[in-house]
Structures are given as structure tokens and as C-alpha cells.
Amino acid sequence: MIIPAKNKPALPVTISVKEIESIVEWFDQHQRSLYILGWSYLGNQLKIEELFYRAILQVHKELSKFTRSTSFEMRVLSIFIPICRELSIDKSLKASEESIFDAIQQLKEQEREVLVLTYIIGISREETAQLLQVSPERIKELLFSGFQLLRVRLGNGEHYQGCNEYQKLYLDYLERKLERPKKIDFEMHIYHCHNCQDDLASLQEVILSSSETIETFSVPAGFMENVKERISQREHFIKQKKKKRKRIGLISASVFALIMCTGFFTGIFSKIFYSLTEENQELRVFLQEDLGESLGLEAESDGVKIKIKSVIADEIQTLIFYEIEDTNDNNQYMINIDDGIFIEDEMKIMVANTYPRYIPPDMESDLNKKEKNIYHGKMILRPLKENKATIQLNINKVLKLKRNSSDSYVNMVPEEGNWKFDIPVTKKPSVEYALDEEVEIEGAAVLIDKLILAPTGTILQYGLKNEQPENRIDMINFKNLEINNKIAEADLYGNSYVHAQSDLRWSKFQAYFEPLFEKKTSKVKVRFASAYLSVQANKTIALDAADEFPQTFEYAGSTISIDKVEMGQHATVIFSNHDIKNRAYESLHYNIVTEEGDDFSMEMDHEGIIVDKNGKEYDMKKITPKIYEVMEQPRHFFTVQSTKIHGKKITPKSLEIYGYSTTKYLDDEVKLDTELIVKDEAGA
């Protein structure tokens, strides 16, 4: 009797706290087992991409706390599983077909976790017990009950009645863990008890069939590329340039006194006062709209002074505006919410199933060019649960910015310290309007679902159909919204996944736009900018390392060259297409099939260029955020895609192409009527 071999993944020897790339690489090498673990909770590729993204960031954030006493894999799993649980709060999205994965999803949480961790991830029962904080005996019970229920879910288990005394020994026997006296007694009983024979055989069949199904499972091609692209954008790109700020001249004391006197009666005092006293233009607008107040909270550590200037909070997010001054030298520092901050009782006071959007440092603003030792920034935190709360913010690290450098926003040097703040926050209400209009974009259905007018931003909620035709939209970028004759430009980093999904047909997203400070509207114009498409087009190309290379094949109207195929412990497949003129695809979705099956790890890489609207080409790996932000209609073409396959002895058999990704720029516009959504007292 055979139990599936546990494939213990190799752990990194060293991982630098500063380098998120090494963490991404580790996830890439172990993506298959982690993907299956994520699928057992979520059953949806988009949610698993979000899971990987959040887990990578959290591992990077906590890396400095990792100790040698606990393996790297166990620490990753201790972060990965809670995020799985958090994202699985929504139970509406399940596997698309009846399968072993669908059956695993239907198990209770603990039974599902134990099965996946021990029989898919391959960690020991003792490690699983430590990770889930239960006893080893409880793990054994959960394994057996889990396989029993799995057998029932697969339609083959209700009529088996083994003896309770010997059922407890099934798994130890199958795993060859029984001591010899117990093994002999067990086999003698099985020989005479037909009920236990049938029960044990059926259970073993479930285990083996599950193993075979899992062994044939492949992570969708391009999955990690999507995750890597999000991480890369987060680390490298900066926000669109803010408009140049106008300097305001000094006003004489007599005029200022007159304005103060009249302002209290005319309602314009806050607008005039903050126009004179607040130099941060973005914060000034919020203060003038009475959405917050100046706080002036300060803390200093080793000559680095942090000032919390104000907080603007609503049901979408919590914005904290800050200023950092280096009192010893001419350095500028920023705060990274994923590395160096801790909020006491965060999950008690803030909404758990949200994730703060990333804000890159703004080095190009006039304000941040003004003083070499002062940086003005903001950070986005989760929204509050209640209308009022005190955020106990602890900061133990800031990052030193590098001005006049092509890599200003990567490999920033941390400066450790100790800054603590008690920040009073009042949450402002938002207004929601139902739109509920289905439109067609590039042959695919898009749901324009909801408009949210919030103090910190204007949000458009939209949906992409889960069952789409061959041309599937993966992401939409919007140009702007027009509301009450005002234009709200789209936020470059403003696409996020909605964690609470209520409609099985759609995957919902939210696009962020500038705040308009509007509370009422009867109509909205939505203008689209681009759609990132996945096109299904299957093709299989046989590979033989003994052939001479390069070889070419035709696909999607292009001639693609296979440049190298090597077999061995570290097999390699490289293909390329440098002719991007009128090319239909930007990158290919593919998989390498080997003679040995799936007992290997795969590492993918690429080279490429970015081409703007006028045909000007830029090296994808050398482009700077400053160049990228002014480019018109950029498209990302992969010119070389390579795969390294690691195993005992790997023989590449075929290149299986499932489809490709491409970007379509749009000029579509839709006009929609709004219907006010009335909330209850809880805000629902």
C-alpha cells in the first residue's frame, strides 16, 4: 500500500531583509503547492493572485522577525494560512467543476487545512500541529475524518462501516508507521474483517486518486507573472505628477484680521485660514472642506522628527498626512506601511477584509523639492469599524529616499528608531449610488455596478464576468469620471479587488478617482482608457533537446523562434520574438510539459520592451518611473521568455501555449443614471 511521496521544498539559505525579489523568487519556486493550498480555500485565480501578493508583502514586512529556530517554510505558512482564511470570508466563489478540489473546499476548515498541509504541502504531522496550534493526536483525528468526508463528497463513502478500534490505525498503517506488534495484530484483523477490508481499500483509493489528480495539476501559465508585475509596479512606479502648485503671496496682518472677522459669519473662514497656513496643497483642500483638522503630533528619535499633520478618514480608507525632518543632515525619509509600522489592536478597530493601497513617494512635487531635509508624505490605512477611534501608531523604521537617482524608489536604506503616536480619528460618511448597467468592452461583458462619493476619493465599482468568452478581460483602466460637470481623473494605482463578493456571476473591483467633494448626483459619465485582455488560443509544439536550434513556429500571426532546449537537472527552454510591429500578443501564457510529469519546480523570466503610442521603444528593465509616467499608451512586449526547470532529471517534451495577453486602448464612454442606496445605521 502506497502513500503519496511528500515533496519537501528546499528552503532558502539566506534572504535579505531589504530584497523583496528573493521572497518573490521563493514563492515562484513553490507556487504549485501554495497555489493548491490557496485554491482549497478560494477556488478563484484572481483571489489567489491577491493572496500571493498580500502574503509576499507580509513575509517581507515580518522577515526581520524570523528566527533560525523555525524553518522559513513554516513561517511563510503561518502568514499564508491566515490570509487564506481572511480572503475566504466570502464563500460565494467555488471551484468551477466537480473535482477533488471542489470536494476539498467543502470540508470543514480544520480538516481541509490538515489534509492540504500534510498531503499536498508535505509537512509532517508534528509541524502541522505546531502551525495550527493543536495536538498531534488531534491532527491524526482530523486527517482520518477529513479523508472520510472527502470520500463521501466524491460520492463513494456512505456505506462503509469499519471497526472503530482499527479505523484509528488506518493512516499509520498506510504510512508504515505502526510498530511491528500492532502491525501484525492489525493485518490479522483486516484478514478476517471484510468490513475493514472494504473500508481501508476505499480510503486508500481516495488517497491515491487524490494524489494522482494533484500530481496532474498545473498552475495556470503566467500566474506568477501577474503577481510579479503587481509587486514590480508597487516597488518602482510613482504617482502621476501633481499639478504645479501656485505660490500664495503674503497678506498683511490688517487684511488677515478682516478676513477672520468676516469669515466666521460667512462660512469661508476655514477655506481662507488653511490657504494661508497649510503648504501641502492636497491636505489643504481636505481641511478647507472641513474633513479634518490640523493635529501637529510630533515624535523624535535620533534626530529624525516625524510630525502627524492630519487624518482624513471615511468608509473607504484612512489617510494620514505626515512630515519627516532630518534635524542632523540633508536626508529625506518616507514611511512604508508594509515595513516598519505597527498599529495596536488593528483588527479590532479597523475593517479586516480590506488592504491599503500603495502610495509611492512623490519626489517631484514642489513641496518636496523645497527643503533637502524635509519630506511631506501620506499613508493609507484600513477604514475604521466605528465612527471614532484612537489609532495607536508605532513606527520603528523609516526609509531614506535617494534623490537624483534612476533607482530612487528601490533598495532604500532603512533608518531605525522609535516613534509613537496616539491619533484621534473621526470617520466621515460617504454616499453610494447604484448603477447596475452591463456594457460590452472588446466583446466582453462589463458590469458598471456602483458609484461611491467619499471624502477621500471617488470610487467606481465594476465587475468582470467569471465565465467570459475567448477574449477575457483581466483588468480595466479608466480615464476619468464626469459628475456634475466636474472631472475626476483616475488614480494610477487605483484598482483593487472587492473582497466581499455577493454575485457568483461577477468578480468585483473598485477603481479610484480624485475626490470631488460631491454628495449628490443624478448622472455620471464613465470614460474608459484601456483593457488588459487574455485571449485563448491553444497550440502545442513538440520539443526535443537533440534537435538543432533555433527553430521557428507560427502563432497568432507571428513567427516565434525556439532558441534553446536543454535537458538535465536544470533544464532550460527559451523562445523569442523581437519583431513587435503589428504583433497581436504582448506576452504568451504557456507551460512546459516534461517526460517526467510534474515532479519539478519551474522558474520563469523574460526580457522585453515598452513601446509608446508613437512607436518609441524603451528597455523594460531599465525604464524609470519618471519616464513611464509621461508615456502615452504604453504597451509591454515580451521579446524573450525563458523557463528553467529544476528536478532530478528533466526532459522537456512540449511547449503548450494556452493563449496570450494584450492591451487595447479605448475611447468608449457611457452615460448612466444613478439611484441612491439608502444605508442602515450600521452603514450596510
Side-chain angles (χ1 to χ4, degrees), residues 471-483:
N471 286 17
R472 186 185 78 244
I473 296 179
D474 291 327
M475 186 174 67
I476 290 179
N477 290 315
F478 296 89
K479 183 178 181 181
N480 58 46
L481 299 178
E482 184 174 336
I483 299 169

Side-chain angles (χ1 to χ4, degrees), residues 613-673:
K613 181 180 180 180
N614 300 315
K616 187 175 181 179
E617 299 180 3
Y618 304 82
D619 188 320
M620 188 178 289
K621 294 186 177 180
K622 295 181 179 180
I623 194 167
T624 64
K626 189 173 182 179
I627 295 174
Y628 190 86
E629 69 172 355
V630 297
M631 290 177 64
E632 287 189 77
Q633 299 186 357
R635 296 187 66 192
H636 302 66
F637 288 97
F638 287 11
T639 53
V640 179
Q641 291 185 253
S642 60
T643 302
K644 292 182 180 179
I645 311 166
H646 308 288
K648 292 182 179 178
K649 183 180 179 183
I650 302 299
T651 307
K653 180 180 178 182
S654 63
L655 167 64
E656 291 192 354
I657 300 176
Y658 305 119
Y660 59 86
S661 294
T662 188
T663 302
K664 296 288 185 181
Y665 281 91
L666 311 170
D667 56 6
D668 300 63
E669 177 183 305
V670 293
K671 300 177 183 178
L672 304 171
D673 294 327

Side-chain angles (χ1 to χ4, degrees), residues 231-417:
I231 297 290
S232 177
Q233 287 179 355
R234 187 181 186 281
E235 293 295 307
H236 297 290
F237 291 167
I238 64 171
K239 248 183 178 180
Q240 292 177 329
K241 282 185 175 180
K242 295 178 182 177
K243 296 180 179 178
K244 298 293 183 180
R245 292 153 169 84
K246 296 181 179 179
R247 297 183 178 273
I248 300 177
L250 295 176
I251 299 178
S252 65
S254 60
V255 175
F256 180 69
L258 175 62
I259 290 172
M260 288 185 66
C261 292
T262 59
F264 282 113
F265 299 101
T266 61
I268 64 168
F269 172 73
S270 61
K271 293 183 181 295
I272 301 297
F273 176 76
Y274 288 119
S275 71
L276 300 173
T277 60
E278 179 51 59
E279 55 185 341
N280 185 322
Q281 182 178 348
E282 183 182 8
L283 174 57
R284 183 194 311 153
V285 174
F286 285 120
L287 297 178
Q288 289 174 332
E289 294 290 335
D290 290 326
L291 296 173
E293 59 183 16
S294 294
L295 296 176
L297 304 174
E298 292 186 8
E300 186 172 342
S301 180
D302 294 330
V304 177
K305 183 190 295 183
I306 300 179
K307 179 188 292 185
I308 303 298
K309 302 184 71 174
S310 188
V311 179
I312 314 297
D314 57 25
E315 296 159 333
I316 305 300
Q317 57 195 352
T318 302
L319 299 183
I320 296 183
F321 288 84
Y322 65 86
E323 175 187 299
I324 302 181
E325 178 184 1
D326 184 354
T327 62
N328 295 329
D329 205 346
N330 285 330
N331 295 313
Q332 290 181 308
Y333 297 95
M334 67 165 286
I335 297 171
N336 181 1
I337 66 167
D338 294 313
D339 188 13
I341 78 164
F342 171 72
I343 300 171
E344 294 186 21
D345 295 325
E346 181 177 9
M347 293 301 100
K348 290 184 179 179
I349 66 171
M350 293 181 156
V351 180
N353 63 338
T354 60
Y355 195 78
R357 294 182 299 121
Y358 172 62
I359 302 178
D362 183 3
M363 298 288 286
E364 301 302 317
S365 71
D366 291 343
L367 188 58
N368 284 328
K369 289 180 178 179
K370 187 176 179 181
E371 303 286 346
K372 293 182 179 180
N373 66 326
I374 298 177
Y375 178 76
H376 299 260
K378 69 177 179 181
M379 50 182 157
I380 298 179
L381 305 180
R382 292 179 169 94
L384 296 178
K385 289 182 178 178
E386 305 297 334
N387 289 332
K388 289 190 176 184
T390 297
I391 297 177
Q392 294 179 292
L393 178 65
N394 299 319
I395 303 172
N396 57 39
K397 186 189 300 181
V398 293
L399 300 179
K400 183 188 295 185
L401 293 162
K402 295 182 288 184
R403 188 173 289 282
N404 301 322
S405 173
S406 60
D407 62 344
S408 302
Y409 316 114
V410 295
N411 300 323
M412 291 183 284
V413 179
E415 181 78 22
E416 295 186 351

